[in-house]
């Protein structure tokens, strides 16, 4: 299977911020903070992760998948479509 190089470096800053948010949630739990405050922060982390997920998926579709559909062998196109289907099956609802 041919893997295309797609840069995800622009997501590093966001992921590092999320990492800090998670450390903050851990501290909140350790300090036995109010449940709603903790849940609010968890929702913020989930939203931030969702945005990173969407950005990486969009780049994948616009680069790797597009290139495969435009120029790849039939087997490669089929594999790319199956990967996306499997990803969608795993996505939280």
């Amino acid at each position: 299977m041919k893997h295309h190089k797609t840069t995800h470096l622009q997501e590093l800053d966001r992921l590092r911020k999320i990492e800090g948010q998670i450390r903050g949630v851990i501290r909140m739990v350790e300090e036995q903070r109010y449940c709603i405050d903790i849940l609010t922060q968890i929702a913020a982390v989930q939203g931030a992760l969702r945005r990173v997920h969407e950005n990486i998926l969009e780049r994948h579709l616009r680069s790797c998948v597009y290139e495969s559909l435009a120029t790849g062998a039939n087997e490669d196109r089929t594999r790319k479509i199956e990967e996306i289907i499997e990803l969608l099956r795993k996505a939280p609802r």
Side-chain angles (χ1 to χ4, degrees):
M1 173 170 48
K2 181 174 157 185
H3 288 282
H4 303 282
K5 293 290 181 186
T6 303
T7 180
H8 305 296
L9 296 177
Q10 53 204 111
E11 299 307 325
L12 284 178
D13 285 340
R14 282 187 170 152
L15 289 169
R16 288 187 179 112
K17 181 177 178 184
I18 292 167
E19 180 182 30
Q21 288 176 295
I22 290 172
R23 282 194 303 273
V25 170
I26 291 169
R27 274 192 306 278
M28 292 175 79
V29 170
E30 290 171 342
E31 296 168 1
Q32 299 181 7
R33 299 270 299 273
Y34 185 56
C35 298
I36 295 299
D37 293 341
I38 296 169
L39 293 169
T40 300
Q41 289 306 308
I42 290 172
V45 169
Q46 289 172 323
L49 277 173
R50 188 171 29 260
R51 285 186 292 281
V52 170
H53 180 274
E54 290 167 356
N55 290 343
I56 292 173
L57 176 58
E58 180 179 347
R59 273 196 304 280
H60 178 64
L61 291 171
R62 292 184 186 277
S63 61
C64 304
V65 174
Y66 179 84
E67 182 180 325
S68 177
L69 293 176
T71 62
N74 190 39
E75 182 181 303
D76 188 46
R77 289 192 298 263
T78 300
R79 186 177 305 112
K80 294 291 187 218
I81 291 169
E82 292 301 320
E83 288 173 348
I84 297 301
I85 290 170
E86 185 61 28
L87 180 69
L88 293 174
R89 282 188 181 130
K90 292 177 183 177
R93 296 187 174 126

